[in-house]
Amino acid sequence: MLPFIIRRLFFLPVVFFGVTIIIVLLMQLLTPYQRAAAFARSEQQARNLDAIIQQYGLDDPWYMQYGRWLGQVAQGNLGYSRVTAEPVLTTIRKRFPPTLELALFAIIPVIGAGIWFGTAAALNRDKFIDQLTRVLSIVGWSLPTFVFGIWLLVIFYGGLGEFLKDFAGGLFRVEPGRLSTPYIIELASGNFRSYTGLMTIDALLNGRLDIFWNAILHLILPVTTLAVVASAQIMRVMRSSLLDTLSQDYVRTARAKGLEESVVNIKHARRNALIPVLTLAGFVLTGLISGVVITETIFNYPGLGQWAASAAVQLDYAAVLGFAVFLSMVVVIANLLVDVMYGIIDPRIRYD
Amino acid sequence: MDATKNLELEKKERPEPALRRWWTSKTMKRFRRNPLAITGALMVIGFVFIAIFAPLLTTPGRSCARDLGLSRATMQDVRNPLKPVFWRSLVLTPQSCYTIPRTTFSPIPQPPSDQAVLGTTSGGYDIYYGLIWGTRTAFLIGIFVVGVGLTVGVIMGSISGYFGGRVDMVLMRFTDVVMSVPGLVLAMVIITVLGQSIFNVMIAISLVAWPNYARVLRGDILRVKEQEYVAGARALGARGARVIFKHVIPNAIGPLVIIASLDIGSVVLTAAALSFLGLGAPLGYADWGQMISFARNWILGPPGNPWAYWYVSFWPGLIIVLFVLGWNLLGDAFRDVLDPRSQ
Amino acid sequence: MKKFLLLLVAVSLMGLALAQAPADTYVWQAFGEVVSLDPARAYDTASGEILENVYETLFTYDGANIDKFVPALATSYEVSEDGKTYTFTLREGVQFHSGNTFSCRDVEYSFERGMVTAHPEGAVSYLIGDQFLGTQIDGSDPEAYKAEVSFEMIDNAVECVDDYTVQLNLTKAEPALLAILAYTAFGIVDSQWAIENGMWDGTEATWEDWIGRDLTQEYMNDKVSGTGAYTVISQDSETTVAKRFDGYWGGAPALENVVYRYVDEQAANILALQQGDADRIVLGDQAGLVQLRGAPGVTVYENEDWNPTSVTTVFFNYDIDTSNNEDVGSGQLDGNGIPSDFFNDLHVRLGFASLFDQQGFIEQVYEGKGRALTVGMPPSFLGYDDSVPIRSLDLEAAEAHFRAAYDGQLWDTGFEFTALYNAGNTTRQTALEIIKENVEFLNPKFKMNVRALAWPDFLARTGEQKVPMFALGWGADYADPKNFIDTFYSNSGFYSARTSINFPDIQALIDDANRATDPAERAFYYSEIARKHYELAPLIALPTPAAYIAARSNLQGIYYNPMLSGEFLWKNLSKN
């Protein structure tokens, strides 16, 4: 397995150069003048675009600009993000943990619901639960995240309608963001140590149940938005791959051996059915990362997605590059982990 | 469809035997027995009709009428199949007809009225008009993206799958690189760079979509290559390009085309998401994504009447969900049917 | 299990109790990012609002008045006869947030630092370069800057007479100097603290290193030490947290904390105000106020006399670059395009000006809350003359003008061109569409298209002089008519590079106004310019909307000063 992992790690530089060259070339489709104008926020600042072009060397050939950027990277500096007004690396360091937290919390219901519904559907083929799963998964898959997210926001945070006004004691009525204002002030005052950047974990490590709870409340709506669409996909794959394994020889053999049906189903079939699900989990992670762009924008959640959205629209050169490089690395590494997990689930798989 | 009708159909039109064979094939039978599939098919067909007959379902706006040569007196001609303008509006639709007429310039949405039966969005854009004409835009986006994505995917996939070796490695690493950037973000960068227009949205999504198709086709080609009839063709002396184009691609491409065309729903969803983020059609262009982004600020009503602007988000949301649902139901059924495992 | 449930309830109640903005905190939410906390660099509203509460200027606005100034860090000032030397007496006993004591060297350091760094995206060179150094050049190219500006010039511009007297030496008279110096770019920073933390050390030896330096990467980008009533304790891209400065010379303010949250989603902002999680919000789309008016606990302050100090106008380009230009059609006067000097014809301009429905625009776009302008500047500024007539929709007059245009030729041949606005700006879009609708109604041979470009493309394309007609605006840098009239109408103003505007009559009046120092005399010239604006229609000024402030009802101390980025200062706020 080790040579396999090493070989896959060699792919990282390929992704690095590939992704950055693609983006740098894309940016070259704009004239230096346009790229300079992207720096201007108001009419006032547009008064000397030529100066900006000169200052940032925007009219140099692309390989020179790319070379400059690489030079910076070699010194451990990914450039400066204009959108967040701080170095790209700082932004990534600050914004990756919130996104990771969101994705981790989302992946629990996604995998859970996905596997449960998928299994139930496959074992009861064409029964009610199967039809329900299929309808749920198709509807969930057809929902536009952005409409769904805003509706959640307005209904639960806005407390629309008499019934929802005091739903669950107003439990869901926390403002968008990561924490409530008093905690933001407290964190700014420096009495709270950040260990991991994951708010829930840090809160526990600081022994602050109230902050932990506040962070959880802030996660509910965005996590729901993210999870609904993603679990629909997992359900489908779980169902069809379980159907597939159930019809295979060794399951039949196990049945013929007289093993009890539930043991067959769970011990043998489900474990093998998990392999495609694992593949999909890799995809879901990528999907979640795309999903966070919209979810974070709606729920004002200070993660990578929100940053990426404004950076892309405002042509924040360094931010787009840094973001794309970082996320593609994350994706590659996540896929590598998935592949390694195959081997753990099914020792027969060989890496060559 | 019941049997008698089917018979009638046969008598009247005498369908080609191939068509009949397809209709009565095992696959189609399975498909026809699936209520979800039928629902999906009906929904998609419904949208096709809306798209085709958009000019008849709406009253043209001022610029649209001008470009069609219609005056107030001759406005009804657009619904009369005997007049040339009827056919012109259907087939050679002027671009200006895709601009949603504004009933007012008020930034506050207006409730349904005679002028705008489903109400207007912020800025006085007629919701009904936008949704009807937006159906055409949706199909355009879906078909274009899948078409271009598929073409690029097929070219890359077949080169990669057929030649194998170093070519395969380079091309596949390239697709890996493209796939490792989150699609939505890459599409956003492409649109920002190319400039905002429907066309650029389509280009951007196609450029993000092709690697999937390329991979599937490559896998299929690798599998087909091992199969007997290719070996047979080889044995008969057929070589290189001939084998790949005559045998391998036609065999591998069929399922791929079906799978890809069923992506139309999700492609439209992606385009709408981009519109929502502010990267889409120019303001006022009939496009569902834009209708949704109009709704973004108007889900909440004035105090005491929280649902006052329900029509701004409800109708576009409903239409998009129905459209995507139709395609996904269809897609789900087809995948089931095509999937040998679920036989 | 029961115990667990109890715990859950207890914890959730705890979360609930803390959900509202606390009584000692002012929370405001808006859609702008804080770019920098360095006064020499910041030039945007979000940063401005923080800075005006953290750093103080020599003189500042008197409450809501934009043309009356009261002492802040200075107590009084004198101007020399020729208007070129200003002597300020400084306040004693003022402390910075760091504990250092304020004196003249801080003023000298702050002004010199602004001129030394001359940041191309900051405001300093643009606002005082000409008056202090005789050039508006900025530091984007250090060599070019050094060629025009010597350290001696900068050093001489600001001189300390003694610890509490500073003298500003101008190269030419500037009637609006107090107004200009009230801007946050001229806030006084703590020189000792700045130098200790690696900023420019204030000497000639190192000044070259700092010319045009990217200040967003320096210490002062997110750290502050000023004399203001608040100090920033934490700053990042989505949240700024400020705390009361107990040593403030004017007495500590009532509220202890201020939190600024950058929130893009309008629905989220509106809900936060309704729920009491935010004390004040700013809407991207003013129409969203209907979702707030009458909400319990929320007050929407609206006042017809509150006029924002920004103006949006529809510009004509007098020298269009017609080569390879899709926006001018054929580039000829043949019915399929327009020639490059199309708008030089007086009747064409008067025709277009007679097609814009001022009142209808106010009714429909601003919900009836707005005001038509007699000239392209804010109505609250010196010299704004209400008695000047305003051209508005008049189809007959428009027809008469278009029939007279090009000696009667235009009406028969017709024209086609495209007007542009920046994508997403619905006000500008609507203004152009109203003109389009009317001009096409007037004569079917007149074709006007309206299209949007993304902001950078829009700036770039107007800068290349390719756009025949476009809608753009200007926000005041300082409360003086010069800031608008020169910008819009002068042949050397900001927009001249995009419009090639050059009306000798108007230019003469502008030059006269800039030479005059007596307010009454200046007002006269600006009123004359407004009359010329009516006669010649060099551009179409759009109506200005009435401003608003949306806040929680229990927030006290709100006033409206459009020259402050935040309309009011935090130190005046309290909650009941």
Side-chain angles (χ1 to χ4, degrees):
Chain A
M1 196 190 281
L2 197 63
F4 166 79
I5 296 179
I6 290 172
R7 213 167 51 235
R8 286 288 292 269
L9 286 176
F10 270 117
F11 182 50
L12 281 176
V14 176
V15 170
F16 174 83
F17 286 107
V19 167
T20 50
I21 289 180
I22 288 177
I23 290 176
V24 167
L25 286 179
L26 267 177
M27 297 275 194
Q28 292 304 311
L29 291 175
L30 293 173
T31 63
Y33 211 64
Q34 282 173 315
R35 272 180 290 141
F39 285 34
R41 277 164 203 273
S42 61
E43 283 83 355
Q44 271 90 341
Q45 290 182 358
R47 66 193 179 306
N48 50 4
L49 296 180
D50 291 327
I52 294 178
I53 294 176
Q54 205 166 26
Q55 190 180 15
Y56 295 94
L58 298 179
D59 51 353
D60 295 338
W62 74 271
Y63 47 85
M64 273 180 70
Q65 297 186 42
Y66 185 57
R68 262 202 307 270
W69 184 79
L70 281 183
Q72 279 184 346
V73 174
Q75 295 166 13
N77 172 10
L78 278 178
Y80 189 81
S81 161
R82 303 180 55 90
V83 166
T84 50
E86 61 195 6
V88 170
L89 265 181
T90 313
T91 308
I92 292 178
R93 239 196 324 267
K94 269 199 218 162
R95 286 182 175 244
F96 180 58
T99 298
L100 184 67
E101 194 169 24
L102 198 58
L104 286 179
F105 273 91
I107 226 159
I108 297 168
V110 166
I111 304 268
I115 291 182
W116 191 86
F117 273 102
T119 314
L123 296 183
N124 302 288
R125 199 167 176 207
D126 291 331
K127 303 256 176 58
F128 173 74
I129 186 79
D130 186 24
Q131 301 292 0
L132 179 75
T133 303
R134 297 183 67 179
V135 171
L136 272 185
S137 71
I138 293 173
V139 172
W141 190 24
S142 313
L143 272 184
T145 335
F146 39 99
V147 182
F148 185 64
I150 292 202
W151 277 101
L152 281 187
L153 179 76
V154 171
I155 292 174
F156 288 101
Y157 182 42
L160 284 192
E162 283 310 306
F163 162 67
L164 288 165
K165 196 128 225 159
D166 295 304
F167 182 69
L171 202 61
F172 296 104
R173 286 165 63 179
V174 288
E175 69 275 53
R178 228 180 151 198
L179 279 182
S180 293
T181 308
Y183 297 121
I184 289 181
I185 298 172
E186 194 180 332
L187 258 60
S189 315
N191 301 324
F192 185 88
R193 254 193 82 183
S194 175
Y195 298 92
T196 59
L198 305 175
M199 194 58 78
T200 45
I201 305 219
D202 284 350
L204 291 178
L205 291 177
N206 279 278
R208 292 295 299 272
L209 259 186
D210 51 340
I211 295 187
F212 171 77
W213 182 243
N214 194 266
I216 293 277
L217 285 182
H218 280 87
L219 280 167
I220 293 174
L221 293 185
V223 162
T224 312
T225 311
L226 263 184
V228 163
V229 179
S231 37
Q233 282 178 313
I234 295 266
M235 274 185 221
R236 289 166 49 83
V237 174
M238 187 67 205
R239 173 180 174 273
S240 67
S241 79
L242 192 57
L243 280 178
D244 186 30
T245 27
L246 277 175
S247 64
Q248 275 174 3
D249 293 345
Y250 60 94
V251 177
R252 290 202 197 119
T253 317
R255 280 204 187 108
K257 276 197 313 200
L259 285 179
E260 232 175 85
E261 193 67 6
S262 62
V263 177
V264 175
N265 287 341
I266 290 170
K267 272 212 122 162
H268 293 256
R270 184 140 98 179
R271 205 163 106 168
N272 281 290
L274 276 175
I275 290 181
V277 174
L278 205 57
T279 318
L280 196 78
F283 277 111
V284 166
L285 188 77
T286 333
L288 283 180
I289 288 171
S290 274
V292 295
V293 173
I294 285 182
T295 315
E296 292 184 351
T297 308
I298 293 173
F299 293 100
N300 195 43
Y301 193 85
L304 288 175
Q306 195 196 35
W307 175 49
S310 34
V313 177
Q314 296 180 32
L315 281 182
D316 187 344
Y317 200 76
V320 169
L321 276 174
F323 169 82
V325 165
F326 178 74
L327 270 196
S328 47
M329 297 289 161
V330 169
V331 170
V332 171
I333 291 173
N335 282 334
L336 176 60
L337 286 181
V338 166
D339 288 346
V340 172
M341 294 256 292
Y342 283 151
I344 296 168
I345 288 189
D346 185 352
R348 287 174 307 180
I349 289 181
R350 306 213 0 219
Y351 299 95
D352 47 26
Chain B
M1 223 178 250
D2 59 0
T4 47
K5 249 192 192 160
N6 220 348
L7 262 175
E8 266 175 31
L9 206 93
E10 262 175 56
K11 269 187 205 155
K12 266 189 200 156
E13 297 183 12
R14 295 186 177 278
E16 294 294 314
L19 195 66
R20 216 175 103 195
R21 252 205 332 266
W22 172 75
W23 182 249
T24 52
S25 70
K26 205 176 156 198
T27 316
M28 276 315 291
K29 268 190 187 145
R30 266 182 68 91
F31 182 81
R32 279 181 290 156
R33 269 206 306 272
N34 183 345
L36 290 180
I38 299 295
T39 318
L42 287 179
M43 285 161 79
V44 170
I45 291 170
F47 277 109
V48 170
F49 273 101
I50 294 179
I52 294 176
F53 295 110
L56 313 185
L57 295 169
T58 53
T59 311
R62 207 180 276 184
S63 321
C64 173
R66 182 192 75 192
D67 291 352
L68 279 171
L70 289 171
S71 67
R72 202 157 291 173
T74 57
M75 203 63 112
Q76 285 307 317
D77 288 359
V78 83
R79 299 211 172 86
N80 183 349
L82 297 177
K83 302 273 176 164
V85 68
F86 172 89
W87 299 102
R88 226 190 116 203
S89 72
L90 284 189
V91 185
L92 299 168
T93 319
Q95 205 52 37
S96 56
C97 294
Y98 288 93
T99 305
I100 312 172
R102 303 177 75 167
T103 54
T104 162
F105 291 112
S106 163
I108 297 171
Q110 306 294 314
S113 67
D114 289 345
Q115 250 184 323
V117 288
L118 298 183
T120 73
T121 64
S122 164
Y125 296 100
D126 184 347
I127 294 176
Y128 175 73
Y129 192 97
L131 291 181
I132 296 289
W133 284 87
T135 314
R136 284 190 167 202
T137 314
F139 275 107
L140 178 70
I141 294 176
I143 292 169
F144 182 95
V145 168
V146 168
V148 172
L150 204 56
T151 311
V152 178
V154 164
I155 293 171
M156 297 295 239
S158 42
I159 292 176
S160 190
Y162 180 74
F163 290 102
R166 212 162 268 177
V167 177
D168 179 39
M169 202 203 70
V170 170
L171 286 180
M172 279 303 114
R173 286 300 81 85
F174 181 60
T175 55
D176 284 344
V177 166
V178 175
M179 281 175 94
S180 63
V181 187
L184 194 64
V185 175
L186 186 57
M188 288 171 75
V189 174
I190 296 176
I191 297 171
T192 317
V193 164
L194 295 180
Q196 290 197 23
S197 73
I198 281 283
F199 183 70
N200 289 340
V201 169
M202 298 191 290
I203 293 283
I205 307 179
S206 326
L207 289 181
V208 176
W210 68 265
N212 263 322
Y213 305 136
R215 285 197 147 185
V216 173
L217 186 71
R218 171 180 171 272
D220 283 345
I221 289 176
L222 290 184
R223 208 164 345 105
V224 174
K225 249 169 130 179
E226 305 308 316
Q227 275 169 6
E228 287 143 19
Y229 62 96
V230 177
R234 281 238 174 87
L236 286 174
R239 264 188 306 163
R242 209 179 130 75
V243 177
I244 189 169
F245 287 113
K246 269 215 108 158
H247 300 281
V248 180
I249 292 183
N251 275 296
I253 216 169
L256 182 66
V257 170
I258 294 182
I259 291 173
S261 62
L262 297 169
D263 281 347
I264 287 178
S266 42
V267 163
V268 169
L269 211 53
T270 308
L274 288 167
S275 256
F276 177 82
L277 290 170
L279 294 166
L283 213 60
Y285 194 87
D287 165 50
W288 292 343
Q290 183 164 88
M291 304 300 289
I292 286 281
S293 67
F294 274 132
R296 187 173 182 174
N297 289 345
W298 295 99
I299 287 176
L300 189 68
N305 188 9
W307 304 107
Y309 308 120
W310 63 274
Y311 47 86
V312 184
S313 55
F314 177 77
W315 296 117
L318 181 75
I319 289 285
I320 292 195
V321 170
L322 286 183
F323 184 84
V324 181
L325 194 62
W327 281 103
N328 284 355
L329 283 173
L330 208 57
D332 195 54
F334 261 111
R335 257 166 230 146
D336 245 17
V337 166
L338 289 175
D339 191 348
R341 292 177 309 192
S342 56
Q343 301 276 332
Chain C
M1 190 64 198
K2 226 176 193 174
K3 261 188 194 160
F4 175 74
L5 275 179
L6 271 177
L7 185 76
L8 203 71
V9 170
V11 173
S12 68
L13 284 179
M14 205 152 63
L16 199 66
L18 279 161
Q20 298 243 317
D24 61 351
T25 303
Y26 167 55
V27 182
W28 76 289
Q29 295 187 178
F31 54 92
E33 300 142 300
V34 175
V35 174
S36 174
L37 294 182
D38 188 334
R41 166 65 183 81
Y43 200 178
D44 61 285
T45 324
S47 313
E49 162 141 14
I50 313 268
L51 288 177
E52 67 202 10
N53 290 289
V54 167
Y55 291 106
E56 289 181 295
T57 49
L58 295 178
F59 272 69
T60 189
Y61 296 98
D62 181 7
N65 295 307
I66 60 168
D67 47 6
K68 288 207 185 74
F69 298 92
V70 291
L73 285 179
T75 50
S76 64
Y77 77 101
E78 278 169 27
V79 200
S80 66
E81 196 85 336
D82 60 1
K84 286 186 182 174
T85 310
Y86 283 70
T87 312
F88 290 87
T89 310
L90 303 175
R91 195 177 292 279
E92 295 185 36
V94 175
Q95 258 193 1
F96 284 104
H97 303 151
S98 63
N100 296 331
T101 308
F102 163 77
S103 74
C104 181
R105 69 198 156 115
D106 298 304
V107 180
E108 191 180 14
Y109 178 81
S110 303
F111 278 65
E112 287 181 1
R113 181 172 179 272
M115 289 185 274
V116 163
T117 52
H119 200 281
E121 290 158 89
V124 176
S125 340
Y126 172 62
L127 291 180
I128 60 163
D130 198 25
Q131 300 88 323
F132 280 57
L133 305 170
T135 168
Q136 276 197 334
I137 187 172
D138 63 46
S140 48
D141 179 355
E143 291 308 314
Y145 192 72
K146 267 188 294 181
E148 280 197 49
V149 178
S150 67
F151 183 74
E152 204 188 343
M153 286 159 73
I154 295 176
D155 196 31
N156 289 339
V158 192
E159 289 290 353
C160 282
V161 179
D162 58 48
D163 267 359
Y164 290 97
T165 313
V166 70
Q167 189 175 315
L168 304 183
N169 302 311
L170 279 64
T171 55
K172 63 182 196 189
E174 172 54 82
L177 189 73
L178 273 199
I180 293 174
L181 294 187
Y183 186 62
T184 52
F186 308 102
I188 306 303
V189 304
D190 181 347
S191 60
Q192 201 184 327
W193 162 87
I195 294 167
E196 277 166 10
N197 287 294
M199 297 295 95
W200 174 55
D201 62 7
T203 66
E204 183 172 5
T206 54
W207 84 287
E208 290 181 1
D209 300 340
W210 285 87
I211 303 174
R213 176 93 72 113
D214 187 357
L215 296 174
T216 45
Q217 315 218 26
E218 302 292 337
Y219 183 77
M220 280 174 68
N221 188 49
D222 54 2
K223 304 281 189 305
V224 300
S225 176
T227 60
Y230 285 89
T231 184
V232 173
I233 57 170
S234 139
Q235 154 67 27
D236 59 37
S237 46
E238 71 277 359
T239 325
T240 305
V241 181
K243 243 187 167 51
R244 170 166 69 198
F245 173 45
D246 290 319
Y248 182 55
W249 60 269
L255 297 180
E256 183 171 354
N257 304 300
V258 176
V259 176
Y260 169 64
R261 307 181 89 178
Y262 161 44
V263 179
D264 242 338
E265 192 68 41
Q266 177 147 319
N269 275 328
I270 290 178
L271 289 170
L273 186 65
Q274 289 187 355
Q275 304 287 337
D277 291 324
D279 294 305
R280 184 199 171 188
I281 60 166
V282 178
L283 300 178
D285 178 6
Q286 196 167 337
L289 287 178
V290 298
Q291 290 156 307
L292 278 172
R293 291 191 193 104
V298 173
T299 305
V300 180
Y301 301 89
E302 289 174 282
N303 191 324
E304 299 287 322
D305 298 330
W306 287 2
N307 292 300
T309 49
S310 58
V311 171
T312 304
T313 47
V314 173
F315 290 97
F316 303 123
N317 184 348
Y318 295 94
D319 185 16
I320 311 160
D321 177 0
T322 52
S323 59
N324 281 328
N325 189 346
E326 56 188 298
D327 294 326
V328 292
S330 61
Q332 313 282 335
L333 196 68
D334 55 5
N336 300 316
I338 54 169
S340 77
D341 59 352
F342 184 65
F343 293 107
N344 282 313
D345 188 298
L346 173 68
H347 289 292
V348 170
R349 293 194 309 269
L350 293 178
F352 276 106
S354 308
L355 287 174
F356 180 71
D357 185 358
Q358 303 269 0
Q359 209 48 46
F361 189 82
I362 295 172
E363 291 303 328
Q364 294 201 342
V365 180
Y366 297 153
E367 296 177 75
K369 299 186 173 84
R371 180 171 172 182
L373 296 179
T374 59
V375 66
M377 75 173 180
S380 47
F381 279 25
L382 172 81
Y384 184 86
D385 188 349
D386 259 328
S387 66
V388 177
I390 299 170
R391 240 173 252 281
S392 184
L393 181 66
D394 182 344
L395 288 173
E396 279 170 34
E399 184 170 340
H401 285 304
F402 277 117
R403 277 189 188 278
Y406 282 90
D407 300 322
Q409 195 193 340
L410 188 68
W411 186 263
D412 296 323
T413 48
F415 59 78
E416 176 165 7
F417 70 93
T418 305
L420 271 73
Y421 64 98
N422 53 311
N425 192 316
T426 47
T427 308
R428 293 174 188 175
Q429 178 212 13
T430 305
L432 293 176
E433 284 193 354
I434 288 177
I435 298 176
K436 166 195 160 76
E437 200 160 288
N438 290 330
V439 77
E440 292 186 346
F441 174 79
L442 201 63
N443 181 343
K445 286 183 184 152
F446 293 176
K447 288 203 190 89
M448 172 175 162
N449 309 304
V450 175
R451 78 181 171 113
L453 277 184
W455 175 244
D457 302 337
F458 180 63
L459 285 183
R461 196 165 171 84
T462 50
E464 288 162 8
Q465 292 247 28
K466 293 221 179 229
V467 185
M469 181 194 272
F470 56 96
L472 244 176
W474 189 257
D477 301 300
Y478 49 91
D480 193 88
K482 174 181 162 173
N483 191 220
F484 281 84
I485 300 297
D486 286 20
T487 304
F488 288 158
Y489 297 90
S490 166
N491 60 16
S492 59
F494 174 81
Y495 277 109
S496 63
R498 290 174 156 70
T499 60
S500 304
I501 193 169
N502 190 7
F503 289 90
D505 292 1
I506 297 181
Q507 192 60 43
L509 288 166
I510 293 175
D511 294 340
D512 287 341
N514 285 344
R515 268 191 298 271
T517 49
D518 174 37
E521 193 187 347
R522 297 182 69 215
F524 167 77
Y525 289 125
Y526 287 120
S527 159
E528 283 303 299
I529 291 173
R531 275 171 220 288
K532 288 281 170 213
H533 171 88
Y534 177 77
E535 270 171 43
L536 301 171
L539 46 88
I540 304 174
L542 303 188
T544 180
Y548 72 95
I549 291 176
R552 292 296 293 177
S553 307
N554 66 348
L555 190 69
Q556 305 295 310
I558 292 173
Y559 54 90
Y560 179 79
N561 184 328
M563 291 312 298
L564 294 175
S565 298
E567 280 87 30
F568 48 82
L569 292 178
W570 304 340
K571 65 178 178 185
N572 301 315
L573 294 176
S574 62
K575 278 184 174 181
N576 61 15

